[in-house]
């Protein structure tokens, strides 16, 4: 008899559903790309964007906070690595699973 969450539910329990704008800055490229973060955890995140990365590509990402009077206004910034990427059929977007490598202050 197993105790706790089913295996497919364990990942969901560790991720927080969010809806925040993100800025993607690929290394070596001057132009930023934009998207939306749809979930976030201590070790990674899922974003939707028009940017199509290479497998295992690393880039900097900035998650823009929700505007509030008493909350921090600086974006969350980190270096991330692409773990998965697939096209969302109904939209002209790609869903990226990203691993957080380093958090910037």
């Amino acid at each position: 008899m197993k105790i706790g969450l089913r295996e497919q539910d364990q990942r969901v329990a560790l991720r927080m559903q969010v809806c925040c704008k993100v800025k993607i800055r690929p290394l070596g490229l001057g132009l930023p790309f934009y998207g939306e973060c749809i979930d976030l955890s201590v070790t990674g995140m899922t974003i939707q964007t028009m940017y199509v990365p290479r497998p295992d590509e690393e880039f900097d990402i900035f998650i823009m906070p929700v505007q509030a009077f008493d909350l921090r206004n600086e974006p969350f910034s980190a270096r991330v690595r692409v773990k998965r990427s697939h096209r969302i059929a109904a939209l002209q977007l790609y869903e990226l699973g990203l691993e957080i490598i380093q958090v910037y202050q």
Side-chain angles (χ1 to χ4, degrees):
M1 180 174 148
K2 289 187 174 183
I3 297 176
L5 297 173
R6 295 179 301 171
E7 185 174 332
Q8 65 266 28
D9 292 335
Q10 289 178 358
R11 181 174 174 271
V12 173
L14 301 175
R15 292 190 172 254
M16 182 173 68
Q17 300 298 312
V18 295
C19 183
C20 296
K21 301 293 181 193
V22 298
K23 179 179 176 182
I24 300 165
R25 189 183 317 150
L27 304 178
L29 296 176
L31 298 175
F33 294 86
Y34 297 90
E36 188 170 299
C37 182
I38 58 173
D39 71 40
L40 182 63
S41 75
V42 173
T43 60
M45 65 187 74
T46 303
I47 66 169
Q48 294 178 345
T49 180
M50 293 179 73
Y51 179 64
V52 183
R54 298 181 315 273
D56 293 322
E57 179 179 350
E58 293 183 10
F59 51 82
D60 292 331
I61 193 160
F62 304 89
I63 301 177
M64 307 305 171
V66 176
Q67 295 298 319
F69 295 108
D70 58 347
L71 295 177
R72 181 179 176 190
N73 288 328
E74 299 92 32
F76 169 81
S77 57
R79 172 75 45 98
V80 295
R81 179 180 297 126
V82 176
K83 297 310 251 179
R84 65 177 172 80
S85 173
H86 65 274
R87 185 166 184 238
I88 301 172
L91 306 171
Q92 296 295 324
L93 296 175
Y94 285 81
E95 187 171 276
L96 310 180
L98 305 173
E99 173 188 23
I100 298 172
I101 298 171
Q102 179 182 3
V103 175
Y104 301 123
Q105 293 191 20

